[in-house]
Amino acid sequence: MLNDIARQSLAALRILLTFTVILGVAYPVTVWAAGQAFGDRADGQPITIDGQVVGSRLLGQNFHGEEWFHSRPSANDYDTLASAPSNLGPSNTDLLALIKERRTSIAQTESVEEDQVPPDAVTASGSGLDPHISPEYAAIQAPRVAEANSLDLDRIEQLIDENTDGRTLGFLGEPGVNVLELNLAVQDAARDA
């Protein structure tokens, strides 16, 4: 009987060690190595300037100031740990009031009529971390950003075009402008001017 217990315990220990090596070492190393084949995509596509990470191509950030293009609103204040929508339905009076308030504020800031403010300027994305805005939202911000950076409006519009991503596979989704990349391009253009 004792011999059977010892034999079964040794077999269980061998199975434990084998699966620990396979699932605890070999599998994670294989997944990590496969991810490295995709370069920075496996690391969240960080954007670095002078060796300092300033953001990610995949996560929206909040930009303050007249010299920057502004992102979509976020239901979670751009907190990556709380990535989620607001859970307010389309007929919720609080959401409708918030949208009206945002539309009025953006119309005043951008010197446009309220009906010219695009939907993505007043509504948060499902994750609250969308790094893109519509080309229409970028276009109404262009005059403010051009003036604040002492750049020609044509130059800002060119930067918007250069930083606009097309539809995925040519037919999925809508074109979008990556706000962080656009702001970095504006910063470079202002520095060179």
Side-chain angles (χ1 to χ4, degrees), residues 61-72 78 110 131 133-149 151-153 155-161 163 177-187:
Q61 300 179 50
N62 197 12
F63 293 94
H64 298 286
E66 298 296 308
E67 71 274 16
W68 304 115
F69 282 91
H70 299 160
S71 300
R72 286 184 76 160
Y78 304 93
E110 307 304 342
I133 58 174
S134 66
E136 294 79 20
Y137 187 25
I140 68 168
Q141 295 183 68
R144 171 183 49 80
V145 173
E147 183 179 336
N149 287 287
L151 292 168
D152 291 335
L153 181 58
R155 179 67 177 128
I156 294 295
E157 289 171 346
Q158 177 186 8
L159 292 174
I160 291 171
D161 289 341
N163 287 281
V177 182
N178 189 297
V179 180
L180 175 59
E181 290 179 335
L182 177 57
N183 281 334
L184 292 174
V186 169
Q187 183 180 27

Side-chain angles (χ1 to χ4, degrees), residues 28-178:
V29 167
T30 303
V31 170
W32 174 83
Q36 296 311 303
F38 294 99
D40 68 349
R41 288 176 168 243
D43 296 327
Q45 298 186 20
I47 296 176
T48 57
I49 296 178
D50 299 327
Q52 191 92 6
V53 175
V54 297
S56 167
R57 286 181 179 83
L58 305 176
L59 297 173
Q61 300 179 50
N62 197 12
F63 293 94
H64 298 286
E66 298 296 308
E67 71 274 16
W68 304 115
F69 282 91
H70 299 160
S71 300
R72 286 184 76 160
S74 173
N76 54 35
D77 295 325
Y78 304 93
D79 180 1
T80 57
L81 297 177
S83 174
S86 70
N87 288 335
L88 298 177
S91 62
N92 182 285
T93 55
D94 292 338
L95 179 62
L96 295 174
L98 183 59
I99 289 173
K100 180 163 179 36
E101 178 184 318
R102 287 175 179 161
R103 181 170 282 121
T104 301
S105 174
I106 290 170
Q108 289 174 349
T109 300
E110 307 304 342
S111 301
V112 297
E113 296 296 321
E114 287 189 23
D115 62 351
Q116 292 178 288
V117 176
D120 65 307
V122 296
T123 56
S125 66
S127 68
L129 299 169
D130 190 349
H132 293 87
I133 58 174
S134 66
E136 294 79 20
Y137 187 25
I140 68 168
Q141 295 183 68
R144 171 183 49 80
V145 173
E147 183 179 336
N149 287 287
S150 300
L151 292 168
D152 291 335
L153 181 58
D154 290 341
R155 179 67 177 128
I156 294 295
E157 289 171 346
Q158 177 186 8
L159 292 174
I160 291 171
D161 289 341
E162 291 170 2
N163 287 281
T164 299
D165 300 327
R167 296 171 185 258
T168 304
L169 301 176
F171 66 94
L172 296 174
E174 294 294 325
V177 182
N178 189 297

